[in-house]
Amino acid sequence: MVYLGLFLIAFIAATLLPAQSEAALAALIVEGYPPWLLVAVATVGNVLGSTVNWWLGRGLTRFGDRRWFPVKPAQLQRAQAWYGRYGQWSLLLSWVPVIGDPLTLAAGVMREPLRTFLVLVTIAKLARYIVVAAVALRWA
C-alpha cells in the first residue's frame, strides 16, 4: 500500500496538479523502506504523469482559452518558447518545479515523438529522485 501511495503521489505531482512526491519519497526512505524500490516506483509514477501532460498537449490545446484549462496561456506560451528555443533537450528540465510540467505539455503541443519524450523525461525524473534519495539517506 505504501508503494501504491507513493506511485499515486508521484503521478499526481507530474500532472498539472500540485503534490509533493519528493517529501513522500524522503519520508519513506527515512522510515527504512528500500531506497532503490522507492526511487523506481516514484520515477515510474512521475514519468507516467508527465506522459499525461504530453498527451493533453497533443490534443487539448484547442481548449487553452477556456477557464477550466489547467495551464494559464502565459505559462504555456513561455513553455512553448523555451521548448522552441532549446528543443527536446529542454525536457531534461522536466523535473524543475513550476516550469517542468508546462514543458511536458509543450512537448505534446510541439509534437515531440513519444519515444524521445519518454527517454529524456525518465532521465530527468530518475536523476532528481536519486538526488532526493541520497539526501534522505544522510538523514536516516
Side-chain angles (χ1 to χ4, degrees):
M1 194 61 152
V2 167
Y3 300 106
L4 177 60
L6 178 61
F7 175 88
L8 291 173
I9 290 170
F11 181 90
I12 291 167
T15 64
L16 301 170
L17 301 172
Q20 283 296 320
S21 60
E22 296 88 352
L25 174 66
L28 292 172
I29 288 173
V30 170
E31 286 184 27
Y33 289 92
W36 64 270
L37 184 54
L38 293 172
V39 166
V41 167
T43 300
V44 169
N46 213 238
V47 169
L48 288 177
S50 291
T51 304
V52 168
N53 294 342
W54 175 87
W55 178 78
L56 288 171
R58 300 273 304 190
L60 294 181
T61 54
R62 65 180 176 264
F63 300 113
D65 59 344
R66 305 281 171 86
R67 200 168 90 181
W68 55 263
F69 194 70
V71 178
K72 292 177 179 35
Q75 285 179 301
L76 183 56
Q77 287 174 343
R78 277 194 306 272
Q80 283 179 288
W82 182 275
Y83 198 86
R85 184 173 185 188
Y86 297 105
Q88 65 192 22
W89 301 110
S90 64
L91 290 172
L92 292 173
L93 297 175
S94 62
W95 65 272
V96 177
V98 181
I99 67 163
D101 297 339
L103 271 175
T104 59
L105 187 77
V109 171
M110 305 298 269
R111 301 289 195 230
E112 184 64 49
L114 182 59
R115 181 178 307 210
T116 304
F117 175 86
L118 288 174
V119 168
L120 293 171
V121 169
T122 299
I123 290 168
K125 306 288 186 157
L126 176 62
R128 179 210 29 215
Y129 284 129
I130 288 172
V131 169
V132 170
V135 170
L137 284 169
R138 295 204 61 174
W139 294 340

